[in-house]
Amino acid sequence: GQQLNQSPQSMFIQEGEDVSMNCTSSSIFNTWLWYKQDPGEGPVLLIALYKAGELTSNGRLTAQFGITRKDSFLNISASIPSDVGIYFCAGLYGGSQGNLIFGKGTKLSVKP
Amino acid sequence: DVKVTQSSRYLVKRTGEKVFLECVQDMDHENMFWYRQDPGLGLRLIYFSYDVKMKEKGDIPEGYSVSREKKERFSLILESASTNQTSMYLCASWDSYNSPLHFGNGTRLTVT
């Protein structure tokens, strides 16, 4: 079946550093979504990407839809303690509402 | 803003009990989803619905059923709860392929 490989699985960074994470697949996707989940909460949408090559920012966050449509990355600039959490990518393929798959997440921890 | 509301944040049930998890969305979305989230396994789709009274099995439907009698409400039913159904359950709703999936805050279910 379809799979998304999200990396890294976890990372510790110093406050103020930039962060980069990505999702890759051997399959082609029509949409990429990036979410953040705080402990005990549901995932919150950060950025949605709908076209190959699209680069979108949301504050300190920037995400890109890869040209090959098989990957996407998320960058966080100048990280702060509240960036701690788990970041998920999700990719939509095919024509059915059920064809949305998720990466396993990147757990971000920031040292103050 | 889209609002997806799950009726309970925390539930504790006994093995064999019938359990209802309720989800309501306020944006007239056609599509609604139930996922479970477990450490190391990520988000897994249980069932989804693309219209009232319509339902489709996801990746792990065994032990679950769903009900969509009204467009805004999607219920997940555990006919006879078991300890391996202890998990975080997330409801989500979705308008179309050019819009993102929105999640509720989750229900953490413990079956003892």
Side-chain angles (χ1 to χ4, degrees), chain B residues 4-5 19 36 41 49-50 52 54 64-65 72 98-99 104-105 107 109:
Chain B
V4 181
T5 304
V19 182
R36 65 176 282 177
L41 297 176
S49 167
Y50 53 89
V52 175
M54 307 302 286
Y64 303 95
S65 62
E72 66 271 19
N98 291 324
S99 67
N105 272 335
T107 297
L109 173 68

Side-chain angles (χ1 to χ4, degrees), chain B residues 46-64:
Chain B
I46 305 171
Y47 268 96
F48 68 99
S49 167
Y50 53 89
D51 203 351
V52 175
K53 297 192 186 295
M54 307 302 286
K55 60 184 179 184
E56 293 278 348
K57 292 180 180 179
D59 300 318
I60 50 163
E62 296 78 19
Y64 303 95

Side-chain angles (χ1 to χ4, degrees), chain A residues 6-28:
Chain A
Q6 185 171 351
S7 66
Q9 281 188 312
S10 63
M11 53 196 313
F12 285 86
I13 57 168
Q14 293 284 351
E15 184 176 353
E17 283 184 352
D18 295 343
V19 173
S20 186
M21 61 192 78
N22 67 81
C23 281
T24 62
S25 176
S26 57
S27 305
I28 290 174

Side-chain angles (χ1 to χ4, degrees), chain A residues 18-56:
Chain A
D18 295 343
V19 173
S20 186
M21 61 192 78
N22 67 81
C23 281
T24 62
S25 176
S26 57
S27 305
I28 290 174
F29 291 90
N30 302 319
T31 298
W32 285 97
L33 306 170
W34 283 94
Y35 292 88
K36 183 190 178 209
Q37 186 175 23
D38 292 324
E41 304 288 331
V44 174
L45 180 73
L46 298 174
I47 292 178
L49 303 161
Y50 301 108
K51 286 194 321 185
E54 182 179 353
L55 182 72
T56 298

Side-chain angles (χ1 to χ4, degrees), chain A residues 31 33 35 37 40-43 45 50 88 92 95 97-98 100 102 104, chain B residues 9 31 33 35 37 41 43 48 50 94 97-101 103-105:
Chain A
T31 298
L33 306 170
Y35 292 88
Q37 186 175 23
E41 304 288 331
L45 180 73
Y50 301 108
F88 292 97
L92 173 68
Q97 293 88 336
L100 183 70
F102 290 85
K104 294 274 173 70
Chain B
R9 294 297 301 275
N31 308 292
F33 302 78
Y35 292 89
Q37 184 178 34
L41 297 176
L43 282 154
F48 68 99
Y50 53 89
W94 190 10
Y97 302 114
N98 291 324
S99 67
L101 190 74
F103 286 92
N105 272 335

Side-chain angles (χ1 to χ4, degrees), chain B residues 8 10 19 23 32-33 40 42 51-52 58 63 66 74-75 92 101 104-105:
Chain B
S8 304
Y10 301 95
V19 182
C23 175
M32 296 187 74
F33 302 78
D51 203 351
V52 175
V66 290
F74 192 35
S75 303
L101 190 74
N105 272 335

